[in-house]
Amino acid sequence: MDSANALVKDFSRHLREGRRRSLHTVRAYVTTAERFCAFLMEHIGGAVGSKEIKALKQADIRSYLAFRRGDGLSNNSAARELSAIRAFLKFVGGGADDNSAQIPKIKGPKVTRGVPRPASPDDIIAMAEDIAESASEGWVGARDWAVLLLLYGSGLRISEALDLTGDALPLSDTLRVTGKRDKTRIVPLLPKVREAMEHYVDLCPHPMTAEQAFFRGKRGGPLSPNLIRRVVQQARGKLGISDKTTPHALRHSFATHLLAGGADLRSLQELLGHASLSSTQVYTAVDAAHLLDVYQNAHPRAS
């Protein structure tokens, strides 16, 4: 029988090497898996292995969440911990596409919605990783992960990302994008984004030709933007992320974070593909609002 320690170690390796998750997510998920297994040993009064974990029911997971509530866990944190448990159960169950039916169904806690603001990088990555982990097939998870990283990492509109074709290959450190009114521009392709896109290409079961869509649906046709919107909606609900965090909001976050980091408006205008500078200037107001929020929360004389 696989011991709990061995299962958690294998789960960690699976997240790092098989799913290519960030160190932050691996650390959080593994910590939750360790805590969950320790609880189960007390809960069932004996050793815990794959057999015991596969036999878990809704009541067992609810008992764990109630136990964690005793530690002062918030609704938002409980939602994220439940997401990690689901991933662990799916892994222990073999990770098969039809394995989801064996995982106990449990509704997550109600989460608090924050005020509208640019999504934090941590929230964006957590959401993208949850979507990839929850996908029915490995290549679908790799695809969704690559799409969302591209929207945030390069500031693309969702239509621009899904209009890419196999002609973009081989990838380099920049990407040619066709935007509104068929205007083309060059955007940077960060190493992590390029790596995610190449990983998707390696796993995609459909042939990648210059004329066909780069991002493909399950049957091989172009990926629908509504599918991406739907998985984003599901993930942010589970993780307690603001409902303002839509695929298009990742482009806004890209712009706001660049501006906060010192990018000038003209450069930002080019990166976003805005026809006029006035379209880009809206981000100065967003950034000023964010700075005021930071000031009011941090300055000792602000209240």
Side-chain angles (χ1 to χ4, degrees):
M1 180 182 71
D2 295 327
S3 69
N5 286 339
L7 288 172
V8 172
K9 286 182 180 178
D10 289 343
F11 180 52
S12 176
R13 187 180 306 109
H14 164 74
L15 292 173
R16 293 193 319 270
E17 301 175 5
R19 305 299 286 181
R20 299 191 180 190
R21 297 296 173 253
S22 69
L23 292 177
H24 173 78
T25 295
V26 172
R27 186 163 49 245
Y29 274 38
V30 168
T31 298
T32 295
E34 290 173 338
R35 188 185 294 118
F36 183 54
C37 288
F39 167 81
L40 290 177
M41 289 181 199
E42 294 288 333
H43 182 63
I44 66 178
V48 172
S50 58
K51 179 182 177 181
E52 288 75 19
I53 291 175
K54 289 177 183 178
L56 291 177
K57 305 298 182 185
Q58 287 181 348
D60 300 310
I61 300 176
R62 288 198 186 99
S63 295
Y64 171 75
L65 293 177
F67 164 74
R68 290 290 287 137
R69 289 291 194 186
D71 295 334
L73 199 69
S74 68
N75 278 9
N76 288 24
S77 296
R80 296 192 187 211
E81 200 146 311
L82 181 57
S83 179
I85 291 172
R86 287 191 180 112
F88 181 57
L89 294 179
K90 182 177 180 180
F91 167 75
V92 174
D97 295 342
D98 59 356
N99 181 53
S100 58
Q102 304 171 21
I103 299 175
K105 298 291 191 297
I106 182 168
K107 188 176 181 180
K110 292 183 178 180
V111 295
T112 304
R113 302 298 181 185
V115 296
R117 66 183 66 191
S120 72
D122 284 348
D123 278 350
I124 292 170
I125 296 302
M127 183 178 70
E129 289 179 334
D130 182 83
I131 289 169
E133 192 66 45
S134 302
S136 59
E137 299 179 49
W139 79 270
V140 172
R143 178 200 67 193
D144 296 348
W145 168 252
V147 170
L148 295 174
L149 283 197
L150 183 59
L151 298 183
Y152 175 60
S154 298
L156 270 60
R157 301 175 178 93
I158 188 170
S159 60
E160 293 171 342
L162 300 189
D163 281 346
L164 292 173
T165 67
D167 191 46
L169 296 171
L171 299 172
S172 65
D173 55 358
T174 60
L175 188 65
R176 181 178 294 276
V177 175
T178 301
K180 291 183 177 181
R181 294 177 290 277
D182 291 329
K183 181 181 178 182
T184 62
R185 68 184 188 279
I186 303 297
V187 299
L189 203 56
L190 300 174
K192 287 291 185 183
V193 180
R194 184 171 69 247
E195 178 183 324
M197 293 175 69
E198 289 172 341
H199 182 55
Y200 153 69
V201 171
D202 290 341
L203 296 183
C204 183
H206 305 294
M208 194 68 62
T209 65
E211 298 79 19
Q212 291 181 296
F214 185 90
F215 292 111
R216 314 284 277 280
K218 284 190 175 182
R219 296 181 179 179
L223 178 61
S224 166
N226 287 333
L227 189 148
I228 296 297
R229 294 186 183 103
R230 185 164 61 250
V231 295
V232 165
Q233 181 181 26
Q234 293 169 347
R236 72 185 183 224
K238 284 194 292 182
L239 301 177
I241 296 172
S242 168
D243 57 8
K244 298 296 184 181
T245 306
T246 63
H248 192 68
L250 301 188
R251 172 175 160 89
H252 293 317
S253 297
F254 162 85
T256 304
H257 296 159
L258 280 188
L259 192 62
D264 62 272
L265 281 177
R266 285 293 181 188
S267 297
L268 192 57
Q269 178 188 0
E270 290 297 322
L271 288 171
L272 293 172
H274 284 161
S276 66
L277 189 61
S278 61
S279 298
T280 312
Q281 286 174 328
V282 65
Y283 294 106
T284 61
V286 174
D287 190 52
H290 172 68
L291 291 176
L292 181 59
D293 185 51
V294 170
Y295 169 81
Q296 289 176 335
N297 283 293
H299 198 284
R301 298 292 184 182
S303 57

